[in-house]
Amino acid sequence: MPLLEDEMADKPYSDFRSDTVTRPTPEMRRAMAEAEVGDDVLGDDPTVQRLEDLAARTMGKEAGLFMPSGTMGNSVAVKAWTRELEEVIVEARAHIYNMESTSMTFVSRVTPRPLASKRGAMDPEEVERNVRQAAVHTPRTSLVCLENTHNNCSGTVLPLDNMKAVRAVADRHGLRVHLDGARIFNASTASGVPVKDYAAQADSVMFCLSKALSAPVGSMLVGPRDFIDYSRRLRKMLGGGMRQVGVLAAAGLIALRDMTGRLGDDHRRARALAEAIAPLPGVTLDPSDVETNIVLFTFKHPRLGAADLIRELKDRGVWALAVLGGVRLVTHKDVDDADVARAAAAFKEILA
Ligand SMILES: *Cc1c(COP(=O)(O)O)cnc(C)c1O
């Protein structure tokens, strides 16, 4: 197949597992092939520098750092903001707590303090009640982690007012706030709140280029300059120092410049998919809970388990994923209305 042809033109299957499956666009591949590069560990890759500047400006922060993954971005941020014998307040279903292979305890050697929430939004008063002071028995709370959109809460948008209230608690107690904004552009598209306004409630923000924005690899960490300088050293320590990485940053620049404007299509399709499958037997799902691009539902059926459903779907060319206690389908650049129709038909055939 020619390099720059649309790879998804003739699809044998519809891949709803995640927005991480998105292929780079032809423009990205062209930019990658032609990228001006240097040695980024030595600090002279101009394409990486352009991306880091653009990321920082986009989020209204002083500086940015290109990361090989969102997980490393979050790990480095937690490490930079904490010391041993400290504790981090985190939402109980947060990615940073559940899906990052224990990095908080392994890399930073701090304890997470998970709090329940209403669809991803922690109660600010409960956050305040859980702030702890250093004493002989207890760690000091030093950081609060937020997630917007909230992946395991079906891509819900964390309300700006909730973030402001948590920020106020953090300020009263001298805590830092890190925002896991893997899908912050989805949040902004759904709510109309500019990403800068979300970012202003946090000291640091991680966001992914590799998900809905369709870059092949990469996430950004942004924050104050001294934090980013220190994070650069931590990234190197974790093995994330990359050399002629302008070839990846070139795709990231296009992701940030051109790919945020189309996310509303993904959200519309996710809602349509949710409406098609919500009435089916075994599916517990309120379509109005689907605010962005993630359809997540619990599945309890007399005849089929979640794994059976996923296999039956796959037999019909529809790929879904089992996640924390549910089944998940995610819309993205590489699924269109026809894929949604195929998924809806497959669900009906299996369950109706
Ligand atoms: C995907 C994701 C990450 C981690 O990104 P990777 O690049 O897969 O390591 C972090 N937080 C959230 C909410 C995510 O969805």
Side-chain angles (χ1 to χ4, degrees), residues 69-71 74 95 100 147 151 180 182-183 206 208 211 219:
S69 70
T71 298
N74 282 335
H95 195 281
E100 301 191 1
E147 182 174 320
N151 185 337
D180 177 347
R183 297 188 178 81
M206 186 286 290
C208 294
K211 293 186 173 166
S219 292

Side-chain angles (χ1 to χ4, degrees), residues 36-323:
E36 198 187 341
V37 296
D39 187 323
D40 185 53
V41 175
L42 301 181
D44 55 28
D45 187 305
T47 308
V48 174
Q49 285 167 2
R50 275 202 294 280
L51 176 60
E52 290 178 345
D53 285 351
L54 179 62
R57 270 187 284 118
T58 303
M59 293 292 158
K61 298 294 184 198
E62 279 176 11
L65 187 61
F66 186 60
M67 288 287 182
S69 70
T71 298
M72 193 184 287
N74 282 335
S75 297
V76 162
V78 172
K79 181 72 185 155
W81 290 132
T82 61
R83 290 169 184 269
E84 290 174 22
L85 308 186
E86 290 182 347
E87 191 163 75
V88 176
I89 292 175
V90 62
E91 196 280 328
R93 279 169 292 181
H95 195 281
I96 209 167
Y97 174 54
N98 291 282
M99 322 271 284
E100 301 191 1
S101 306
T102 74
S103 96
M104 194 178 285
T105 40
F106 188 84
V107 175
S108 299
R109 313 219 294 177
V110 292
T111 45
R113 192 164 183 82
L115 303 186
S117 73
K118 254 202 213 101
R119 306 183 68 235
M122 294 182 285
D123 172 5
E125 286 174 18
E126 200 188 343
V127 171
E128 187 145 38
R129 278 196 299 278
N130 279 276
V131 174
R132 302 211 282 172
Q133 311 303 325
V136 67
H137 293 302
T138 53
R140 183 180 86 91
T141 307
S142 54
L143 179 67
V144 182
C145 292
L146 301 176
E147 182 174 320
N148 200 4
T149 63
H150 196 298
N151 185 337
N152 287 323
C153 293
S154 196
T156 48
V157 178
L158 205 56
L160 182 63
D161 284 346
N162 178 261
M163 292 182 68
K164 285 183 172 167
V166 171
R167 171 83 261 177
V169 171
D171 287 344
R172 275 201 290 283
H173 297 276
L175 316 180
R176 299 294 188 169
V177 177
H178 173 67
L179 172 59
D180 177 347
R183 297 188 178 81
I184 192 69
F185 290 98
N186 293 88
S188 176
T189 298
S191 65
V193 173
V195 288
K196 268 187 194 160
D197 292 5
Y198 289 128
Q201 311 311 318
D203 297 282
S204 57
V205 184
M206 186 286 290
F207 65 92
C208 294
L209 303 166
S210 56
K211 293 186 173 166
L213 305 188
S214 307
V217 178
S219 292
M220 302 305 302
L221 182 62
V222 299
R225 186 162 306 278
D226 55 352
F227 162 85
I228 290 295
D229 289 345
Y230 188 58
S231 293
R232 193 177 294 278
R233 296 172 60 199
L234 292 171
R235 184 187 68 175
K236 176 69 173 147
M237 180 268 294
L238 291 172
M242 300 175 286
R243 302 293 179 173
Q244 284 72 46
V245 69
V247 291
L248 298 180
L253 278 164
I254 291 171
L256 257 186
R257 198 190 61 204
D258 295 346
M259 302 303 286
T260 61
R262 53 161 305 288
L263 299 177
D265 292 342
D266 297 344
H267 300 175
R268 174 179 61 75
R269 289 188 178 116
R271 181 66 73 92
L273 183 60
E275 279 164 1
I277 65 185
L280 296 172
V283 175
T284 305
L285 170 64
D286 180 348
S288 69
D289 285 347
V290 177
E291 298 174 41
T292 59
N293 67 331
I294 299 178
V295 180
L296 176 59
F297 59 90
T298 49
F299 184 66
K300 258 199 159 52
H301 190 274
R303 192 164 44 78
L304 298 168
D308 303 315
L309 173 63
I310 284 167
R311 188 169 22 78
E312 294 275 347
L313 286 168
K314 193 163 187 183
D315 288 347
R316 291 164 177 79
V318 176
W319 292 16
L321 206 63
V323 294

Side-chain angles (χ1 to χ4, degrees), residues 327-341:
V327 174
R328 190 182 83 171
L329 289 92
V330 182
T331 54
H332 52 76
K333 169 180 78 63
D334 294 336
V335 292
D336 59 16
D337 292 334
D339 295 292
V340 170

